Amino acid sequence: MLERFEEMGFDLSRFVPALLRPPSQAFRINTLKGDREQVLESLAHLEPEPCGWNSLVFRVKKRLKLGNLTEHFLGLIYAQDSSSTIPVTVLDPQPHEEILDMSAAPGSKSTQIAAAMRNTGLLVANDVSPKRIPSLTGNLDRSGVLNTVVTRLPGQAYGYIATERFDRVLLDAPCSSEGTLSRSFRTLEIWGESAIKRLSATQRNLIMSAYYSLKPGGVMVYSTCTFAPEENEGTVSYLLKKFSEAIVEPINLEGLNTQPGFSRWRGEEFNPAVKNILRLFPHQHDGEGFCVARISKPN
Ligand SMILES: C[S@@+](CC[C@H](N)C(=O)[O-])C[C@H]1O[C@@H](n2cnc3c(N)ncnc32)[C@H](O)[C@@H]1O
């Protein structure tokens, strides 16, 4: 892993300690259950600091388990790493739309989407894993989500069963999770070149399905919590090879120290449009490592 990080051009003496140090905890106010100002008042003792890119997301420097707070239990807040709130911020869901969250469990992003939709329209929250569905439904219930249907299908199916159906699609893809090492070393149990290869094959099928399921004029977000270029620029480049009309849009969010997508990796030149991918690295940003692409389908 370290060799790969070096190959990606990271200065390991800065990158590795930052990757292993837990970032500040963060929470998102759930406007389906609470009023922003009232929630902030009840959590004032935590001295929450606003994150520039989303007025509902706050970092907390104090060390305590946000998931144990009464406000979390009541669904007034959702404890979520600050980076993990970015894909839905970039997706920008609107009320009355039809939206697919293709790999949704345990529901951090589905609950954020439903709140942005103000519980209107239709959200389909899908995940293939039977073991992870209860955490998804539990979080939807706790957050007061009412506009959502939960399905348990391989995301690959949606391109066929719901072709050109959705206004927006989120594909927060299964990935090698290198960006979350400070939270858990479990990643290391599955991590390796062959896992990256296998995951990138799955991601390619999922991103094709996501694009097929998008209406003309629709927008999708592809995100991962890993650094591997095969799983990020490689996946998006693959989509662009199949659908040259797809547009990778620039992302402008306030208060974020980001890097552009890699232009090449191990002899492969990526489509130049992948420079618009947003990369977040733990030595530059107080949050987990993340990668986010906003892709639109022309009319
Ligand atoms: C990064 S996690 C999603 C996290 C979730 N979006 C959230 O924010 O709470 C990736 C998810 O993809 C699911 N998954 C893996 N392969 C899948 C497939 N072929 N179709 C749909 N979901 C899949 C996994 O079960 C896992 O829950």
Side-chain angles (χ1 to χ4, degrees), residues 37-107:
E37 302 314 315
Q38 278 174 5
V39 174
L40 280 179
E41 207 178 305
S42 78
L43 293 176
H45 59 286
L46 300 180
E47 297 168 17
E49 293 172 13
C51 291
W53 65 87
N54 185 322
S55 62
L56 298 172
V57 179
F58 295 82
R59 287 196 183 96
V60 174
K61 297 272 186 244
K62 288 190 180 170
R63 284 281 146 209
L64 80 166
K65 234 178 164 252
L66 292 177
N68 287 345
L69 293 171
T70 311
E71 286 81 357
H72 189 266
F73 177 76
L74 294 174
L76 296 167
I77 61 165
Y78 196 108
Q80 187 175 5
D81 178 76
S82 69
S83 301
S84 154
T85 65
I86 292 171
V88 175
T89 307
V90 169
L91 185 67
D92 192 22
Q94 299 297 316
H96 308 293
E97 290 184 329
E98 295 199 354
I99 301 185
L100 169 65
D101 186 354
M102 188 174 266
S103 48

Side-chain angles (χ1 to χ4, degrees), residues 86-94 97-102 113 123 164-171 207 209-222 239 246-251 292-299:
I86 292 171
V88 175
T89 307
V90 169
L91 185 67
D92 192 22
Q94 299 297 316
E97 290 184 329
E98 295 199 354
I99 301 185
L100 169 65
D101 186 354
M102 188 174 266
I113 293 172
L123 171 62
E164 298 196 344
R165 167 79 197 242
F166 296 102
D167 298 293
R168 297 179 204 251
V169 176
L170 175 66
L171 172 53
I207 202 171
S209 174
Y211 193 77
Y212 277 124
S213 70
L214 200 58
K215 272 183 192 164
V219 176
M220 61 178 276
V221 163
Y222 175 77
L239 177 77
I247 299 163
V248 186
E249 297 183 2
I251 300 171
V292 183
R294 181 178 153 107
I295 300 161
S296 58
K297 187 184 224 177
N299 270 308

Side-chain angles (χ1 to χ4, degrees), residues 120-142:
T120 63
L122 172 71
L123 171 62
V124 178
N126 175 70
D127 203 282
V128 77
S129 164
K131 265 201 271 174
R132 289 169 67 92
I133 294 287
S135 57
L136 171 60
T137 52
N139 281 324
L140 291 169
D141 285 347
R142 186 174 52 81

